[in-house]
Amino acid sequence: MEERDYIIRFKAGDRQAFNALFEMYWAKLVSYSALIVGEQASKDIVQNVFVKVWVSRDSIHECETLRPYLMRAVYNASLNMLRNRAKFISIEGVDGSMIDFLTAGKYGPDDSEIIRKLYTSERDMEIEAAIKLLPPRCQEIFR
């Protein structure tokens, strides 16, 4: 079964489809978050993101993949955790803006070459799928 099929079933409230998506992305998202906040906190972050995704599944658009959405949500949640930690831990000379500066340039989806390539490859697959839906003559324009 393709990811799109799981997404459609998940939006309809199918827990098995949700579990399949969870298993599909869990390790990748934990690794990504761990780059920013450390391994133990990353598991909590990813779990919370999936809980929010389940609760707000009606507002998620049907698409080919959830990867960009999940990566952005994990990135934002990771930065929020760093900001919250900074409120409780006083480190001389380091404040919230410094945390943003240090992490955003390295792991931010808009600034990191690696993360940008992941987004680009996902977008390219979606564009290619859309082109395949066109009549053959129209497809020639895009090739």
PDB file of all heavy atoms in Angstrom, residues 46-82:
ATOM      1  N   VAL A  46       8.749  13.802  19.133  1.00  0.00           N
ATOM      2  CA  VAL A  46       8.119  13.106  18.002  1.00  0.00           C
ATOM      3  C   VAL A  46       6.789  12.489  18.431  1.00  0.00           C
ATOM      4  O   VAL A  46       5.794  12.565  17.701  1.00  0.00           O
ATOM      5  CB  VAL A  46       9.076  12.052  17.403  1.00  0.00           C
ATOM      6  CG1 VAL A  46       8.372  11.215  16.344  1.00  0.00           C
ATOM      7  CG2 VAL A  46      10.313  12.726  16.823  1.00  0.00           C
ATOM      8  N   GLN A  47       6.751  11.928  19.624  1.00  0.00           N
ATOM      9  CA  GLN A  47       5.496  11.358  20.113  1.00  0.00           C
ATOM     10  C   GLN A  47       4.430  12.446  20.222  1.00  0.00           C
ATOM     11  O   GLN A  47       3.283  12.246  19.806  1.00  0.00           O
ATOM     12  CB  GLN A  47       5.710  10.690  21.457  1.00  0.00           C
ATOM     13  CG  GLN A  47       4.482   9.976  21.972  1.00  0.00           C
ATOM     14  CD  GLN A  47       4.783   9.157  23.216  1.00  0.00           C
ATOM     15  OE1 GLN A  47       5.905   9.077  23.680  1.00  0.00           O
ATOM     16  NE2 GLN A  47       3.750   8.542  23.754  1.00  0.00           N
ATOM     17  N   ASN A  48       4.791  13.601  20.762  1.00  0.00           N
ATOM     18  CA  ASN A  48       3.833  14.704  20.883  1.00  0.00           C
ATOM     19  C   ASN A  48       3.365  15.208  19.524  1.00  0.00           C
ATOM     20  O   ASN A  48       2.192  15.547  19.349  1.00  0.00           O
ATOM     21  CB  ASN A  48       4.438  15.853  21.691  1.00  0.00           C
ATOM     22  CG  ASN A  48       4.551  15.524  23.161  1.00  0.00           C
ATOM     23  OD1 ASN A  48       3.827  14.673  23.676  1.00  0.00           O
ATOM     24  ND2 ASN A  48       5.476  16.176  23.838  1.00  0.00           N
ATOM     25  N   VAL A  49       4.268  15.251  18.560  1.00  0.00           N
ATOM     26  CA  VAL A  49       3.891  15.669  17.208  1.00  0.00           C
ATOM     27  C   VAL A  49       2.868  14.697  16.629  1.00  0.00           C
ATOM     28  O   VAL A  49       1.854  15.111  16.063  1.00  0.00           O
ATOM     29  CB  VAL A  49       5.129  15.795  16.290  1.00  0.00           C
ATOM     30  CG1 VAL A  49       4.724  15.854  14.819  1.00  0.00           C
ATOM     31  CG2 VAL A  49       5.959  17.007  16.671  1.00  0.00           C
ATOM     32  N   PHE A  50       3.094  13.406  16.816  1.00  0.00           N
ATOM     33  CA  PHE A  50       2.143  12.428  16.284  1.00  0.00           C
ATOM     34  C   PHE A  50       0.794  12.513  17.000  1.00  0.00           C
ATOM     35  O   PHE A  50      -0.254  12.324  16.367  1.00  0.00           O
ATOM     36  CB  PHE A  50       2.711  11.010  16.345  1.00  0.00           C
ATOM     37  CG  PHE A  50       3.504  10.645  15.129  1.00  0.00           C
ATOM     38  CD1 PHE A  50       4.883  10.615  15.164  1.00  0.00           C
ATOM     39  CD2 PHE A  50       2.871  10.331  13.934  1.00  0.00           C
ATOM     40  CE1 PHE A  50       5.622  10.288  14.036  1.00  0.00           C
ATOM     41  CE2 PHE A  50       3.591  10.000  12.801  1.00  0.00           C
ATOM     42  CZ  PHE A  50       4.969   9.976  12.846  1.00  0.00           C
ATOM     43  N   VAL A  51       0.796  12.806  18.284  1.00  0.00           N
ATOM     44  CA  VAL A  51      -0.474  12.983  18.998  1.00  0.00           C
ATOM     45  C   VAL A  51      -1.227  14.173  18.401  1.00  0.00           C
ATOM     46  O   VAL A  51      -2.432  14.093  18.129  1.00  0.00           O
ATOM     47  CB  VAL A  51      -0.237  13.184  20.514  1.00  0.00           C
ATOM     48  CG1 VAL A  51      -1.502  13.668  21.214  1.00  0.00           C
ATOM     49  CG2 VAL A  51       0.255  11.890  21.144  1.00  0.00           C
ATOM     50  N   LYS A  52      -0.515  15.275  18.170  1.00  0.00           N
ATOM     51  CA  LYS A  52      -1.152  16.460  17.581  1.00  0.00           C
ATOM     52  C   LYS A  52      -1.655  16.176  16.169  1.00  0.00           C
ATOM     53  O   LYS A  52      -2.721  16.647  15.774  1.00  0.00           O
ATOM     54  CB  LYS A  52      -0.172  17.628  17.564  1.00  0.00           C
ATOM     55  CG  LYS A  52       0.078  18.191  18.942  1.00  0.00           C
ATOM     56  CD  LYS A  52       1.106  19.300  18.902  1.00  0.00           C
ATOM     57  CE  LYS A  52       1.422  19.776  20.310  1.00  0.00           C
ATOM     58  NZ  LYS A  52       2.468  20.795  20.336  1.00  0.00           N
ATOM     59  N   VAL A  53      -0.900  15.398  15.416  1.00  0.00           N
ATOM     60  CA  VAL A  53      -1.314  15.038  14.052  1.00  0.00           C
ATOM     61  C   VAL A  53      -2.602  14.217  14.109  1.00  0.00           C
ATOM     62  O   VAL A  53      -3.525  14.442  13.331  1.00  0.00           O
ATOM     63  CB  VAL A  53      -0.189  14.274  13.315  1.00  0.00           C
ATOM     64  CG1 VAL A  53      -0.701  13.606  12.055  1.00  0.00           C
ATOM     65  CG2 VAL A  53       0.958  15.217  12.990  1.00  0.00           C
ATOM     66  N   TRP A  54      -2.667  13.279  15.038  1.00  0.00           N
ATOM     67  CA  TRP A  54      -3.879  12.460  15.160  1.00  0.00           C
ATOM     68  C   TRP A  54      -5.081  13.329  15.525  1.00  0.00           C
ATOM     69  O   TRP A  54      -6.148  13.219  14.926  1.00  0.00           O
ATOM     70  CB  TRP A  54      -3.688  11.360  16.198  1.00  0.00           C
ATOM     71  CG  TRP A  54      -4.949  10.583  16.432  1.00  0.00           C
ATOM     72  CD1 TRP A  54      -5.806  10.693  17.480  1.00  0.00           C
ATOM     73  CD2 TRP A  54      -5.522   9.597  15.568  1.00  0.00           C
ATOM     74  NE1 TRP A  54      -6.874   9.839  17.332  1.00  0.00           N
ATOM     75  CE2 TRP A  54      -6.718   9.147  16.169  1.00  0.00           C
ATOM     76  CE3 TRP A  54      -5.139   9.049  14.356  1.00  0.00           C
ATOM     77  CZ2 TRP A  54      -7.528   8.176  15.585  1.00  0.00           C
ATOM     78  CZ3 TRP A  54      -5.950   8.073  13.780  1.00  0.00           C
ATOM     79  CH2 TRP A  54      -7.131   7.660  14.395  1.00  0.00           C
ATOM     80  N   VAL A  55      -4.899  14.204  16.490  1.00  0.00           N
ATOM     81  CA  VAL A  55      -6.003  15.050  16.950  1.00  0.00           C
ATOM     82  C   VAL A  55      -6.466  16.002  15.849  1.00  0.00           C
ATOM     83  O   VAL A  55      -7.666  16.250  15.696  1.00  0.00           O
ATOM     84  CB  VAL A  55      -5.583  15.832  18.223  1.00  0.00           C
ATOM     85  CG1 VAL A  55      -6.595  16.895  18.585  1.00  0.00           C
ATOM     86  CG2 VAL A  55      -5.376  14.873  19.382  1.00  0.00           C
ATOM     87  N   SER A  56      -5.535  16.506  15.064  1.00  0.00           N
ATOM     88  CA  SER A  56      -5.891  17.492  14.028  1.00  0.00           C
ATOM     89  C   SER A  56      -5.916  16.887  12.626  1.00  0.00           C
ATOM     90  O   SER A  56      -5.750  17.599  11.642  1.00  0.00           O
ATOM     91  CB  SER A  56      -4.914  18.661  14.076  1.00  0.00           C
ATOM     92  OG  SER A  56      -3.618  18.223  13.780  1.00  0.00           O
ATOM     93  N   ARG A  57      -6.159  15.607  12.531  1.00  0.00           N
ATOM     94  CA  ARG A  57      -6.100  14.920  11.230  1.00  0.00           C
ATOM     95  C   ARG A  57      -7.096  15.480  10.210  1.00  0.00           C
ATOM     96  O   ARG A  57      -6.868  15.425   9.013  1.00  0.00           O
ATOM     97  CB  ARG A  57      -6.282  13.425  11.399  1.00  0.00           C
ATOM     98  CG  ARG A  57      -7.642  12.996  11.884  1.00  0.00           C
ATOM     99  CD  ARG A  57      -7.688  11.494  12.179  1.00  0.00           C
ATOM    100  NE  ARG A  57      -8.936  11.105  12.773  1.00  0.00           N
ATOM    101  CZ  ARG A  57      -9.222  11.179  14.056  1.00  0.00           C
ATOM    102  NH1 ARG A  57      -8.331  11.622  14.904  1.00  0.00           N
ATOM    103  NH2 ARG A  57     -10.404  10.799  14.510  1.00  0.00           N
ATOM    104  N   ASP A  58      -8.206  16.031  10.680  1.00  0.00           N
ATOM    105  CA  ASP A  58      -9.201  16.596   9.762  1.00  0.00           C
ATOM    106  C   ASP A  58      -8.677  17.820   9.025  1.00  0.00           C
ATOM    107  O   ASP A  58      -9.110  18.109   7.916  1.00  0.00           O
ATOM    108  CB  ASP A  58     -10.477  16.968  10.512  1.00  0.00           C
ATOM    109  CG  ASP A  58     -11.193  15.749  11.066  1.00  0.00           C
ATOM    110  OD1 ASP A  58     -11.035  14.653  10.489  1.00  0.00           O
ATOM    111  OD2 ASP A  58     -11.894  15.878  12.089  1.00  0.00           O
ATOM    112  N   SER A  59      -7.744  18.536   9.632  1.00  0.00           N
ATOM    113  CA  SER A  59      -7.234  19.765   9.014  1.00  0.00           C
ATOM    114  C   SER A  59      -6.010  19.521   8.125  1.00  0.00           C
ATOM    115  O   SER A  59      -5.537  20.437   7.465  1.00  0.00           O
ATOM    116  CB  SER A  59      -6.884  20.789  10.092  1.00  0.00           C
ATOM    117  OG  SER A  59      -5.819  20.316  10.878  1.00  0.00           O
ATOM    118  N   ILE A  60      -5.519  18.296   8.092  1.00  0.00           N
ATOM    119  CA  ILE A  60      -4.363  17.976   7.255  1.00  0.00           C
ATOM    120  C   ILE A  60      -4.844  17.697   5.834  1.00  0.00           C
ATOM    121  O   ILE A  60      -5.778  16.926   5.625  1.00  0.00           O
ATOM    122  CB  ILE A  60      -3.591  16.766   7.820  1.00  0.00           C
ATOM    123  CG1 ILE A  60      -3.013  17.133   9.185  1.00  0.00           C
ATOM    124  CG2 ILE A  60      -2.504  16.314   6.865  1.00  0.00           C
ATOM    125  CD1 ILE A  60      -2.348  15.991   9.901  1.00  0.00           C
ATOM    126  N   HIS A  61      -4.186  18.334   4.873  1.00  0.00           N
ATOM    127  CA  HIS A  61      -4.564  18.149   3.477  1.00  0.00           C
ATOM    128  C   HIS A  61      -4.109  16.779   2.977  1.00  0.00           C
ATOM    129  O   HIS A  61      -3.054  16.298   3.348  1.00  0.00           O
ATOM    130  CB  HIS A  61      -3.920  19.231   2.592  1.00  0.00           C
ATOM    131  CG  HIS A  61      -4.331  20.611   2.976  1.00  0.00           C
ATOM    132  ND1 HIS A  61      -5.591  21.104   2.742  1.00  0.00           N
ATOM    133  CD2 HIS A  61      -3.652  21.602   3.598  1.00  0.00           C
ATOM    134  CE1 HIS A  61      -5.675  22.327   3.192  1.00  0.00           C
ATOM    135  NE2 HIS A  61      -4.512  22.668   3.726  1.00  0.00           N
ATOM    136  N   GLU A  62      -4.925  16.192   2.126  1.00  0.00           N
ATOM    137  CA  GLU A  62      -4.515  14.929   1.502  1.00  0.00           C
ATOM    138  C   GLU A  62      -3.379  15.224   0.540  1.00  0.00           C
ATOM    139  O   GLU A  62      -3.449  16.160  -0.263  1.00  0.00           O
ATOM    140  CB  GLU A  62      -5.687  14.287   0.767  1.00  0.00           C
ATOM    141  CG  GLU A  62      -6.693  13.670   1.701  1.00  0.00           C
ATOM    142  CD  GLU A  62      -7.794  12.927   0.963  1.00  0.00           C
ATOM    143  OE1 GLU A  62      -7.588  12.534  -0.200  1.00  0.00           O
ATOM    144  OE2 GLU A  62      -8.857  12.771   1.565  1.00  0.00           O
ATOM    145  N   CYS A  63      -2.319  14.453   0.650  1.00  0.00           N
ATOM    146  CA  CYS A  63      -1.159  14.656  -0.195  1.00  0.00           C
ATOM    147  C   CYS A  63      -0.468  13.311  -0.405  1.00  0.00           C
ATOM    148  O   CYS A  63      -0.896  12.299   0.138  1.00  0.00           O
ATOM    149  CB  CYS A  63      -0.208  15.671   0.444  1.00  0.00           C
ATOM    150  SG  CYS A  63       0.254  15.242   2.121  1.00  0.00           S
ATOM    151  N   GLU A  64       0.585  13.340  -1.178  1.00  0.00           N
ATOM    152  CA  GLU A  64       1.332  12.119  -1.465  1.00  0.00           C
ATOM    153  C   GLU A  64       2.137  11.649  -0.256  1.00  0.00           C
ATOM    154  O   GLU A  64       2.358  10.470  -0.082  1.00  0.00           O
ATOM    155  CB  GLU A  64       2.276  12.346  -2.650  1.00  0.00           C
ATOM    156  CG  GLU A  64       1.577  12.641  -3.961  1.00  0.00           C
ATOM    157  CD  GLU A  64       0.750  11.479  -4.463  1.00  0.00           C
ATOM    158  OE1 GLU A  64       1.201  10.324  -4.359  1.00  0.00           O
ATOM    159  OE2 GLU A  64      -0.358  11.720  -4.961  1.00  0.00           O
ATOM    160  N   THR A  65       2.624  12.600   0.545  1.00  0.00           N
ATOM    161  CA  THR A  65       3.479  12.259   1.671  1.00  0.00           C
ATOM    162  C   THR A  65       3.297  13.257   2.812  1.00  0.00           C
ATOM    163  O   THR A  65       2.987  14.419   2.574  1.00  0.00           O
ATOM    164  CB  THR A  65       4.964  12.221   1.238  1.00  0.00           C
ATOM    165  OG1 THR A  65       5.771  11.878   2.357  1.00  0.00           O
ATOM    166  CG2 THR A  65       5.412  13.541   0.662  1.00  0.00           C
ATOM    167  N   LEU A  66       3.513  12.782   4.025  1.00  0.00           N
ATOM    168  CA  LEU A  66       3.454  13.649   5.198  1.00  0.00           C
ATOM    169  C   LEU A  66       4.840  14.124   5.618  1.00  0.00           C
ATOM    170  O   LEU A  66       4.966  14.880   6.569  1.00  0.00           O
ATOM    171  CB  LEU A  66       2.814  12.902   6.376  1.00  0.00           C
ATOM    172  CG  LEU A  66       1.315  12.701   6.337  1.00  0.00           C
ATOM    173  CD1 LEU A  66       0.855  11.908   7.557  1.00  0.00           C
ATOM    174  CD2 LEU A  66       0.590  14.028   6.290  1.00  0.00           C
ATOM    175  N   ARG A  67       5.864  13.663   4.943  1.00  0.00           N
ATOM    176  CA  ARG A  67       7.233  13.946   5.359  1.00  0.00           C
ATOM    177  C   ARG A  67       7.518  15.438   5.577  1.00  0.00           C
ATOM    178  O   ARG A  67       8.003  15.807   6.645  1.00  0.00           O
ATOM    179  CB  ARG A  67       8.231  13.357   4.373  1.00  0.00           C
ATOM    180  CG  ARG A  67       9.665  13.699   4.739  1.00  0.00           C
ATOM    181  CD  ARG A  67      10.617  13.264   3.671  1.00  0.00           C
ATOM    182  NE  ARG A  67      11.443  12.217   4.212  1.00  0.00           N
ATOM    183  CZ  ARG A  67      12.101  11.372   3.491  1.00  0.00           C
ATOM    184  NH1 ARG A  67      12.031  11.398   2.191  1.00  0.00           N
ATOM    185  NH2 ARG A  67      12.867  10.474   4.054  1.00  0.00           N
ATOM    186  N   PRO A  68       7.257  16.317   4.612  1.00  0.00           N
ATOM    187  CA  PRO A  68       7.569  17.736   4.855  1.00  0.00           C
ATOM    188  C   PRO A  68       6.796  18.307   6.047  1.00  0.00           C
ATOM    189  O   PRO A  68       7.354  19.041   6.849  1.00  0.00           O
ATOM    190  CB  PRO A  68       7.153  18.429   3.557  1.00  0.00           C
ATOM    191  CG  PRO A  68       7.131  17.367   2.531  1.00  0.00           C
ATOM    192  CD  PRO A  68       6.772  16.109   3.255  1.00  0.00           C
ATOM    193  N   TYR A  69       5.539  17.938   6.165  1.00  0.00           N
ATOM    194  CA  TYR A  69       4.715  18.429   7.271  1.00  0.00           C
ATOM    195  C   TYR A  69       5.278  17.954   8.610  1.00  0.00           C
ATOM    196  O   TYR A  69       5.422  18.736   9.551  1.00  0.00           O
ATOM    197  CB  TYR A  69       3.281  17.935   7.081  1.00  0.00           C
ATOM    198  CG  TYR A  69       2.347  18.311   8.204  1.00  0.00           C
ATOM    199  CD1 TYR A  69       1.714  19.546   8.211  1.00  0.00           C
ATOM    200  CD2 TYR A  69       2.094  17.430   9.255  1.00  0.00           C
ATOM    201  CE1 TYR A  69       0.851  19.903   9.233  1.00  0.00           C
ATOM    202  CE2 TYR A  69       1.245  17.778  10.290  1.00  0.00           C
ATOM    203  CZ  TYR A  69       0.632  19.017  10.276  1.00  0.00           C
ATOM    204  OH  TYR A  69      -0.213  19.363  11.291  1.00  0.00           O
ATOM    205  N   LEU A  70       5.597  16.674   8.696  1.00  0.00           N
ATOM    206  CA  LEU A  70       6.113  16.112   9.938  1.00  0.00           C
ATOM    207  C   LEU A  70       7.484  16.684  10.283  1.00  0.00           C
ATOM    208  O   LEU A  70       7.762  16.983  11.449  1.00  0.00           O
ATOM    209  CB  LEU A  70       6.178  14.585   9.851  1.00  0.00           C
ATOM    210  CG  LEU A  70       4.834  13.868   9.809  1.00  0.00           C
ATOM    211  CD1 LEU A  70       5.035  12.385   9.517  1.00  0.00           C
ATOM    212  CD2 LEU A  70       4.070  14.064  11.104  1.00  0.00           C
ATOM    213  N   MET A  71       8.341  16.844   9.285  1.00  0.00           N
ATOM    214  CA  MET A  71       9.677  17.383   9.551  1.00  0.00           C
ATOM    215  C   MET A  71       9.587  18.816  10.062  1.00  0.00           C
ATOM    216  O   MET A  71      10.301  19.196  10.983  1.00  0.00           O
ATOM    217  CB  MET A  71      10.552  17.285   8.310  1.00  0.00           C
ATOM    218  CG  MET A  71      10.957  15.850   8.005  1.00  0.00           C
ATOM    219  SD  MET A  71      12.089  15.709   6.642  1.00  0.00           S
ATOM    220  CE  MET A  71      13.563  16.394   7.366  1.00  0.00           C
ATOM    221  N   ARG A  72       8.719  19.605   9.481  1.00  0.00           N
ATOM    222  CA  ARG A  72       8.560  20.988   9.933  1.00  0.00           C
ATOM    223  C   ARG A  72       7.994  21.011  11.362  1.00  0.00           C
ATOM    224  O   ARG A  72       8.440  21.786  12.199  1.00  0.00           O
ATOM    225  CB  ARG A  72       7.645  21.753   8.973  1.00  0.00           C
ATOM    226  CG  ARG A  72       7.349  23.168   9.389  1.00  0.00           C
ATOM    227  CD  ARG A  72       8.565  24.021   9.513  1.00  0.00           C
ATOM    228  NE  ARG A  72       9.018  24.443   8.218  1.00  0.00           N
ATOM    229  CZ  ARG A  72       9.952  25.349   8.011  1.00  0.00           C
ATOM    230  NH1 ARG A  72      10.523  25.940   9.030  1.00  0.00           N
ATOM    231  NH2 ARG A  72      10.332  25.670   6.806  1.00  0.00           N
ATOM    232  N   ALA A  73       7.017  20.152  11.629  1.00  0.00           N
ATOM    233  CA  ALA A  73       6.419  20.109  12.969  1.00  0.00           C
ATOM    234  C   ALA A  73       7.448  19.680  14.014  1.00  0.00           C
ATOM    235  O   ALA A  73       7.517  20.262  15.104  1.00  0.00           O
ATOM    236  CB  ALA A  73       5.224  19.157  12.977  1.00  0.00           C
ATOM    237  N   VAL A  74       8.269  18.695  13.688  1.00  0.00           N
ATOM    238  CA  VAL A  74       9.306  18.233  14.618  1.00  0.00           C
ATOM    239  C   VAL A  74      10.365  19.312  14.808  1.00  0.00           C
ATOM    240  O   VAL A  74      10.827  19.552  15.922  1.00  0.00           O
ATOM    241  CB  VAL A  74       9.922  16.899  14.127  1.00  0.00           C
ATOM    242  CG1 VAL A  74      11.207  16.568  14.860  1.00  0.00           C
ATOM    243  CG2 VAL A  74       8.909  15.777  14.284  1.00  0.00           C
ATOM    244  N   TYR A  75      10.732  19.974  13.740  1.00  0.00           N
ATOM    245  CA  TYR A  75      11.716  21.059  13.834  1.00  0.00           C
ATOM    246  C   TYR A  75      11.212  22.164  14.756  1.00  0.00           C
ATOM    247  O   TYR A  75      11.917  22.605  15.668  1.00  0.00           O
ATOM    248  CB  TYR A  75      12.001  21.609  12.430  1.00  0.00           C
ATOM    249  CG  TYR A  75      12.881  22.837  12.411  1.00  0.00           C
ATOM    250  CD1 TYR A  75      14.237  22.728  12.638  1.00  0.00           C
ATOM    251  CD2 TYR A  75      12.351  24.095  12.175  1.00  0.00           C
ATOM    252  CE1 TYR A  75      15.059  23.850  12.620  1.00  0.00           C
ATOM    253  CE2 TYR A  75      13.152  25.223  12.160  1.00  0.00           C
ATOM    254  CZ  TYR A  75      14.507  25.087  12.378  1.00  0.00           C
ATOM    255  OH  TYR A  75      15.305  26.198  12.376  1.00  0.00           O
ATOM    256  N   ASN A  76       9.988  22.605  14.536  1.00  0.00           N
ATOM    257  CA  ASN A  76       9.410  23.673  15.365  1.00  0.00           C
ATOM    258  C   ASN A  76       9.284  23.239  16.830  1.00  0.00           C
ATOM    259  O   ASN A  76       9.594  24.011  17.743  1.00  0.00           O
ATOM    260  CB  ASN A  76       8.056  24.108  14.819  1.00  0.00           C
ATOM    261  CG  ASN A  76       8.185  24.870  13.520  1.00  0.00           C
ATOM    262  OD1 ASN A  76       9.223  25.429  13.208  1.00  0.00           O
ATOM    263  ND2 ASN A  76       7.125  24.879  12.738  1.00  0.00           N
ATOM    264  N   ALA A  77       8.841  22.006  17.057  1.00  0.00           N
ATOM    265  CA  ALA A  77       8.702  21.510  18.433  1.00  0.00           C
ATOM    266  C   ALA A  77      10.070  21.397  19.110  1.00  0.00           C
ATOM    267  O   ALA A  77      10.196  21.671  20.305  1.00  0.00           O
ATOM    268  CB  ALA A  77       7.995  20.157  18.431  1.00  0.00           C
ATOM    269  N   SER A  78      11.081  21.020  18.358  1.00  0.00           N
ATOM    270  CA  SER A  78      12.441  20.920  18.912  1.00  0.00           C
ATOM    271  C   SER A  78      12.956  22.292  19.322  1.00  0.00           C
ATOM    272  O   SER A  78      13.532  22.453  20.407  1.00  0.00           O
ATOM    273  CB  SER A  78      13.392  20.281  17.893  1.00  0.00           C
ATOM    274  OG  SER A  78      12.994  18.968  17.599  1.00  0.00           O
ATOM    275  N   LEU A  79      12.743  23.282  18.462  1.00  0.00           N
ATOM    276  CA  LEU A  79      13.166  24.640  18.809  1.00  0.00           C
ATOM    277  C   LEU A  79      12.392  25.166  20.010  1.00  0.00           C
ATOM    278  O   LEU A  79      12.964  25.840  20.879  1.00  0.00           O
ATOM    279  CB  LEU A  79      13.001  25.584  17.624  1.00  0.00           C
ATOM    280  CG  LEU A  79      13.989  25.436  16.478  1.00  0.00           C
ATOM    281  CD1 LEU A  79      13.764  26.528  15.450  1.00  0.00           C
ATOM    282  CD2 LEU A  79      15.420  25.451  16.957  1.00  0.00           C
ATOM    283  N   ASN A  80      11.113  24.858  20.072  1.00  0.00           N
ATOM    284  CA  ASN A  80      10.321  25.285  21.227  1.00  0.00           C
ATOM    285  C   ASN A  80      10.856  24.675  22.519  1.00  0.00           C
ATOM    286  O   ASN A  80      10.900  25.340  23.557  1.00  0.00           O
ATOM    287  CB  ASN A  80       8.842  24.926  21.044  1.00  0.00           C
ATOM    288  CG  ASN A  80       8.166  25.809  20.029  1.00  0.00           C
ATOM    289  OD1 ASN A  80       8.633  26.906  19.717  1.00  0.00           O
ATOM    290  ND2 ASN A  80       7.073  25.330  19.472  1.00  0.00           N
ATOM    291  N   MET A  81      11.268  23.421  22.449  1.00  0.00           N
ATOM    292  CA  MET A  81      11.823  22.785  23.645  1.00  0.00           C
ATOM    293  C   MET A  81      13.126  23.480  24.054  1.00  0.00           C
ATOM    294  O   MET A  81      13.360  23.710  25.236  1.00  0.00           O
ATOM    295  CB  MET A  81      12.069  21.301  23.428  1.00  0.00           C
ATOM    296  CG  MET A  81      12.733  20.637  24.643  1.00  0.00           C
ATOM    297  SD  MET A  81      12.760  18.865  24.550  1.00  0.00           S
ATOM    298  CE  MET A  81      11.134  18.529  25.227  1.00  0.00           C
ATOM    299  N   LEU A  82      13.966  23.823  23.086  1.00  0.00           N
ATOM    300  CA  LEU A  82      15.199  24.532  23.417  1.00  0.00           C
ATOM    301  C   LEU A  82      14.898  25.879  24.059  1.00  0.00           C
ATOM    302  O   LEU A  82      15.556  26.276  25.024  1.00  0.00           O
ATOM    303  CB  LEU A  82      16.055  24.735  22.166  1.00  0.00           C
ATOM    304  CG  LEU A  82      16.756  23.505  21.604  1.00  0.00           C
ATOM    305  CD1 LEU A  82      17.539  23.886  20.356  1.00  0.00           C
ATOM    306  CD2 LEU A  82      17.659  22.872  22.633  1.00  0.00           C
TER     307      LEU A  82
END
